[in-house]
Structures are given as C-alpha cells and as structure tokens.
Amino acid sequence: MRVPFLTLLATLFAVSYAAPPASFSSHDINTTNERRTNHALVRRAGLVPHVDPTAVDISPNGVAGAYPRVTSLSDGTLLGSYTAFSGSTRILTVSQSTDGGKTFTALGEIARSTGDLDNTFLLQLANGDVVAAFRNHDLDANGNPTFYRITTSISHDKGKTWVFLSQVNQRAATATKNGLWEPFMRLSKRDGSLQAYYASENADNDQDILMQSSTNNGQTWSSPITVAGGTTTGRDGMPGCANFNDGASKLMCVFETTEGRGTFQVKSVVSTDEGATWGQRSLVHAPAASNANAGAPQIVQTTDNNLVVSFMTDEDSSSHNWPSQFVSFKIVTGGPVATGNWGHETTVTTPQSSWPGLLAKSDGTVLACVGHDPEGSVCHTVTFTTS
C-alpha cells in the first residue's frame, strides 16, 4: 500500500525547501533590465504544448517516490531516479525503461541513509558510465544538519550497481545556514568536462548557484565559480541548464529566487562560454499575486532549438502553504532568446505536485516528471505544435 505521497513530501522538504521564515527580510534589487513578459503569452511557432493525460509511474512495485528525474542513455534506455522510503531510511532508487518511457521497471539502488539523502540527478558520461549526484547530509538526534555534502556515485553497468565516486563539495554546518542542495549535471560542449551545478546557502535570506567542473569523470573537482546570486540578495536555488542557439551557441540556467520579492519566482542567466562566465539575469516567470510562489524550475532544449521551462506554483490557489499544499506543475515555452520570451503557460498536473523535472527526447517530445499525490513519481509526455 502506498504511503500518502503528500505526507512524505511534507516531511522530506520541510527544512531544505521551506519558504523563508517570518524573520526573512527581502532585499529590493533594481530589476529594470529584466523582461517581465511571462503573463503576455504570445503564440510562437512550434511552441504550443499538449500534455498527454496518461501518467507513467517511474517508481514501480507500488513504492512511493519523491524528486523524480529521468535521463537518457546512448542506447536509448531511459533511467529514472527517485527517493524511496523505508521507515526512517531514505533510498536513492533507479528504475529503467526500454520502451521509450511507456513503462519503468526496478533496476538499482545508489545509496541509503537515515540522514538527509535526496536530490538525485543522473548523467551518462562519454565512456558509457553513469554518474549520480545527490545531497548527502548528516543529521543530529533532533534532525538538524551537522554536515553537508554534494556526493557523487558511479555505475559501470548502466545504473544497476553503484559505488562511491567523490564529494563535489562538503562542509560542516554552522550557526548561520550554509547548506548545499539540488545538484544538476551536464557535459560541457566546449571540452567535454563534467559540470555540477548546485545551490549554496550563505544565510537564511541568501543563497547562490555555484558550479564546479571535473576533467577526470568526476574523480576530482575544480574550485567553485558563481553562476547566479553573487551580486544579489535572495535564495537562488534549484538550478537547471540547457543549451540553445540564437545565432551563437549559448547556455541558459534557470533557478528559483526570492530576490526583491520574498516569495519565489523563476529567473535565468546566460553563458556564452559554456559556463565560465554568466550574465543577462532575466525573469522567466513570477506569479501575479505577491503571496504566491513559482519555484523548483528545470529547462530543456527541444529538437527544434526551442526552450521549455518547468516549475511548481501555487499561483492558482487562494490558499498558500508553500511548498506542501495547493501546488501545481506547469511549463512555459520560448524561442532561443537570451533574455527570455516566454509564453503558453500550461498545467501538467494539478495539486499536489512537487519537485518537477524535464527530459527532452530525440523525437521532439518532452517527458515532464513530478511527484503527484496520490499517483507517486510520474511522467507525462508533452508534444508541441504551432497551434
């Protein structure tokens, strides 16, 4: 029997993803250069989403899962990852699909712990190995963090078995919040290096997106560089990145932030040198109501060079208990524009929807995956037309 999915999510994310406390003091930042076009939804060629109502569960055997993500391998296999629960133990679990995402079967286990283990992201390396990055935190008897890590493990058999690889970053907890959260990985198109993006807390009201790279398949890592948040005050978190081409090859990363608002909205930054430097901080989506949130974004590039951004939001509800209740999963689409040109806001799943992710497939469709109460960790296929 499934444990109620909402109960699991509320417990899992109460500390790491809670909205800023009552003492939070937002810092009003000049945002005159941001494109506030998210509510002017304009029709654009090839960008109208159509969501297949069929939900495909990536957490088989009736096991409820949280934080679903799917990645594709070079042989066409899809690997799903999610956090499963057994009593007080969290289990980073892998499933696989060999039919293009129509069905998933159990495959392997990355790690398990009674600590704060979550946020799995999978990526296949050029040599065929698969790397998993995840948060891996120690807790005291009261459930308070004592040590933070972004950990990687590696599989040499396409996700079936796993061994420890490295720590991307790690540090002891301090009285001032200094957690490490939500890794995202990609391979640089410039030199093939492995890049790990993650959120790094500076304080209750301030968090940055950092990136470290590895030239030896994740065995060792460079010093961090700041992707977003270095010159602003706000909780920049949940990074996701995708390439696009507007006449030149560029890289866009999206993230949630409380900058200048207090509640969450989605913004982006762009790199013209495959992640070495960043700029053009721009708005992707902000709810119209000041007490509503839009967060936990991800981004993919479709086969026709368009962009799709996902997020979770409570903007359609008059009640707000972010992020545990009244939250839907939505996407917006846009052409390859560095400062953003977003439209066609579309609901993928209704409340309660939590911590969504995207996978762009080679057939032009996108798998939109989310923790959906009461279904579990599920994906919906999204197609795109001109109208």
Side-chain angles (χ1 to χ4, degrees), residues 179-218:
L180 303 167
W181 313 97
E182 309 135 3
F184 171 92
M185 294 186 295
R186 65 182 294 271
L187 297 177
S188 170
K189 292 185 177 298
R190 172 170 290 185
D191 59 10
S193 61
L194 176 62
Q195 296 180 341
Y197 297 75
Y198 56 91
S200 174
E201 280 183 307
N202 305 313
D204 278 355
N205 67 335
D206 192 49
Q207 185 170 267
D208 297 341
I209 305 298
L210 304 183
M211 187 271 282
Q212 294 179 242
S213 60
S214 172
T215 57
N216 55 12
N217 290 337

Side-chain angles (χ1 to χ4, degrees), residues 80-98:
S81 62
Y82 55 94
T83 305
F85 306 87
S86 177
S88 62
T89 300
R90 302 181 183 187
I91 307 165
L92 302 185
T93 308
V94 180
S95 58
Q96 73 170 354
S97 173
T98 58

Side-chain angles (χ1 to χ4, degrees), residues 125-127 129 131 152 154 156 165-168 187 191-195 212-222:
L125 301 173
N127 66 3
D129 291 341
V131 175
T152 62
I154 193 165
H156 304 298
L165 179 59
S166 64
Q167 308 290 4
V168 180
L187 297 177
D191 59 10
S193 61
L194 176 62
Q195 296 180 341
Q212 294 179 242
S213 60
S214 172
T215 57
N216 55 12
N217 290 337
Q219 296 179 58
T220 59
W221 296 88
S222 69

